[in-house]
Amino acid sequence: MTTSVPRGDTAPSSSEAGWKSYLADLWKAPASAKAALTGCLLLMLVSPSGLSAMTTFVVPAFAKDTGAAKSVGILVFVSVPLLIGPIVLPFAGRWVDRFGARRVAVPSAVLYAALTALVPLCESSVPALAVVLILASVFGFTSGLAVVFKVVSTWLPQHKGIGFALIGVASSLAAAVFSPVFQWMISGSADLGWKGTYLLVAAAIALVAIPTTVFLISEPTVPLVPAEPTGPMELTEPMEPTKGHMKGPEGGLPRLPGVPLGRAVRTRIWISITVSLAFAAAGPMTVRQNAVDFFDERGFTEATVSLSLSALFAASVVGLLLGGMILDRTDRPRVVVPMLAAVPVGLLIAFANHGSTPLLFVAMILLGFATGAESSLGPFLIARYFGLASFAQLQGLTLAISTLSLGMSPFLVSAMQSATGSYTVPVLALTALTVVAVVLAAVLPKFPPQWKIDHVPESR
């Protein structure tokens, strides 16, 4: 496969400028861009990703209250919402590309809060509970992931790496702080149970997400029209940029430079990115969702596990920030490799460890370096390789596919453990898949030149 990227639609890489210039340009971003970035970070705090630490403790509490198997709890609260919810992301991305981020985010945030509040009312019917959780996941992903990456890509075109990293940092920090808090609320001295906790979370979503989407989320209005192409640059498969304007209900939205969706998904690069992120992200997700049972067999208390999960999320912050800044300033995605390689190493340490708290934290810290891979490294790579013309749709499709792995892997590992009485086979198989992810990341080609954006836009 070969890809042609027109030279006229690309700009010199930010790696040609010094670190001082790179940071100064970020600091001088328009006020509307800073407000939009702040809004994106707030949305991630209350997104399904930011609140993911809750399900680790909800599942055992639900199983205890209802008498259901833990694997059933994982299926209802984790696997089914993650399998079905993100399917909407390609369509949500198309809506964002067509109608604008704010018009999609506001109603989605309202429905996300309302449906989350309905979860405790469906305790007596598992099918009804699953439907409500799926719908809450759909609108949670739509108001968050479908919006924030497009907003950052258009406001901070030369600082996508650090912008995407900050989005991952927001959800990771939220999960790190919330992990012991949720344990305290659900099964600790607060004794709110999983139902009371869901009601408080719904209130938090309403108070944070709705005002944020109304007052902070915005996109550029000045058309970002690339120069006419002057010649092709070979990379992988033939690609044609788009340019001009796309008319939406709020006026003329800019059609940004980049690769059409149909061409992008046929490339080896996109397939490698999607498979690599899906396999790598499955490792930390599986350990997180099975943490209470998995580490209980290895001699650790639930309180210790909650602290180790905080260490996992905190470690991801360091990896995301360093990776984001380095990705902005390199022509090769080498920084992805060590982040993903930490996953199989962390899985092996976690599996072999029996009773050593220091080793527990070492394993969780290693897993943490790749926790944000599916939500921050992916969009950066997609934006660098394929531009912004169909970014929201392409990112939504990538997330929808990779999230299949996130949804199925915790359930399959739990079900296999229940059937065999051992984590040996599923964990070793998962480790092998994460090694494949590292290999796929290592062979990604050099980035093409930056896609050219000629104007600093105003807000709308």
Side-chain angles (χ1 to χ4, degrees):
M1 295 182 183
T2 61
T3 296
S4 177
V5 178
R7 294 183 186 276
D9 279 351
T10 62
S13 171
S14 56
S15 61
E16 297 177 10
W19 279 102
K20 185 176 180 180
S21 175
Y22 167 82
L23 294 174
D25 288 344
L26 178 61
W27 182 256
K28 294 176 182 176
S32 296
K34 295 176 181 177
L37 177 60
T38 301
C40 290
L41 300 182
L42 289 173
L43 287 179
M44 291 308 297
L45 292 180
V46 294
S47 69
S49 300
L51 299 172
S52 61
M54 179 170 61
T55 55
T56 302
F57 306 102
V58 166
V59 168
F62 170 79
K64 182 179 179 181
D65 285 352
T66 62
K70 290 182 179 178
S71 59
V72 173
I74 291 177
L75 183 66
V76 172
F77 284 93
V78 181
S79 298
V80 173
L82 283 180
L83 287 172
I84 300 178
I87 291 176
V88 76
L89 285 175
F91 304 100
R94 182 178 179 84
W95 299 333
V96 170
D97 285 335
R98 182 177 181 182
F99 301 116
R102 182 181 291 154
R103 286 203 167 190
V104 173
V106 173
S108 298
V110 172
L111 290 169
Y112 177 34
L115 287 161
T116 301
L118 288 178
V119 170
L121 304 180
C122 302
E123 174 194 13
S124 59
S125 173
V126 171
L129 177 63
V131 170
V132 172
L133 286 167
I134 289 168
L135 292 174
S137 176
V138 164
F139 291 107
F141 281 121
T142 301
S143 63
L145 295 179
V147 169
V148 297
F149 292 118
K150 182 62 178 288
V151 171
V152 170
S153 296
T154 51
W155 275 120
L156 302 172
Q158 300 298 321
H159 298 84
K160 293 185 295 291
I162 189 62
F164 294 156
L166 288 173
I167 289 173
V169 166
S171 59
S172 295
L173 283 178
V177 172
F178 293 158
S179 181
V181 172
F182 284 135
Q183 188 273 328
W184 170 75
M185 293 171 65
I186 295 170
S187 56
S189 57
D191 199 26
L192 294 176
W194 66 274
K195 291 180 286 187
T197 301
Y198 259 101
L199 290 175
L200 285 179
V201 166
I205 292 171
L207 292 173
V208 174
I210 297 174
T212 295
T213 55
V214 172
F215 297 111
L216 294 180
I217 294 300
S218 68
E219 291 175 274
T221 53
V222 172
L224 307 178
V225 183
E228 289 297 321
T230 58
M233 178 175 296
E234 294 300 322
L235 175 61
T236 54
E237 198 171 279
M239 298 183 182
E240 297 176 1
T242 57
K243 56 180 186 277
H245 294 76
M246 174 172 56
K247 296 296 182 181
E250 297 184 52
L253 295 178
R255 169 87 40 106
L256 301 174
V259 180
L261 178 69
R263 290 181 179 271
V265 298
R266 295 197 299 268
T267 64
R268 184 170 56 244
I269 292 176
W270 178 78
I271 294 171
S272 295
I273 291 171
T274 302
V275 173
S276 178
L277 294 177
F279 286 174
M285 175 63 81
T286 299
V287 172
R288 284 164 48 194
Q289 298 302 332
N290 289 280
V292 173
D293 187 47
F294 179 77
F295 289 113
D296 177 68
E297 289 188 358
R298 283 154 176 75
F300 299 100
T301 66
E302 190 172 292
T304 301
V305 171
S306 71
L307 292 176
S308 72
L309 288 170
S310 292
L312 181 152
F313 293 119
S316 71
V317 172
V318 178
L320 286 165
L321 288 175
L322 289 178
M325 288 189 292
I326 294 172
L327 278 170
D328 272 336
R329 296 179 48 74
T330 183
D331 291 327
R332 295 185 182 277
R334 296 190 185 98
V335 69
V336 178
V337 176
M339 293 181 69
L340 300 189
V343 178
V345 175
L347 285 174
L348 289 174
I349 294 175
F351 176 73
N353 181 27
H354 289 270
S356 172
T357 300
L359 278 180
L360 170 64
F361 278 83
V362 168
M364 299 301 261
I365 288 170
L366 287 171
L367 292 173
F369 278 105
T371 296
E374 75 278 10
S375 62
S376 59
L377 295 179
F380 176 88
L381 295 174
I382 290 169
R384 276 304 310 265
Y385 282 117
F386 303 110
L388 302 177
S390 300
F391 174 81
Q393 297 175 69
L394 190 58
Q395 168 61 9
L397 180 60
T398 303
L399 275 174
I401 293 173
S402 62
T403 304
L404 293 175
S405 172
L406 296 180
M408 286 304 298
S409 56
F411 168 71
L412 291 176
V413 167
S414 177
M416 291 179 68
Q417 191 277 336
S418 298
T420 64
S422 172
Y423 280 103
T424 299
V425 173
V427 170
L428 291 180
L430 188 62
T431 303
L433 291 177
T434 61
V435 172
V436 173
V438 175
V439 173
L440 290 174
V443 298
L444 285 172
K446 181 179 179 180
F447 290 140
Q450 294 272 11
W451 297 89
K452 182 184 291 184
I453 296 181
D454 293 331
H455 308 289
V456 176
E458 300 295 334
S459 65
R460 72 173 167 87

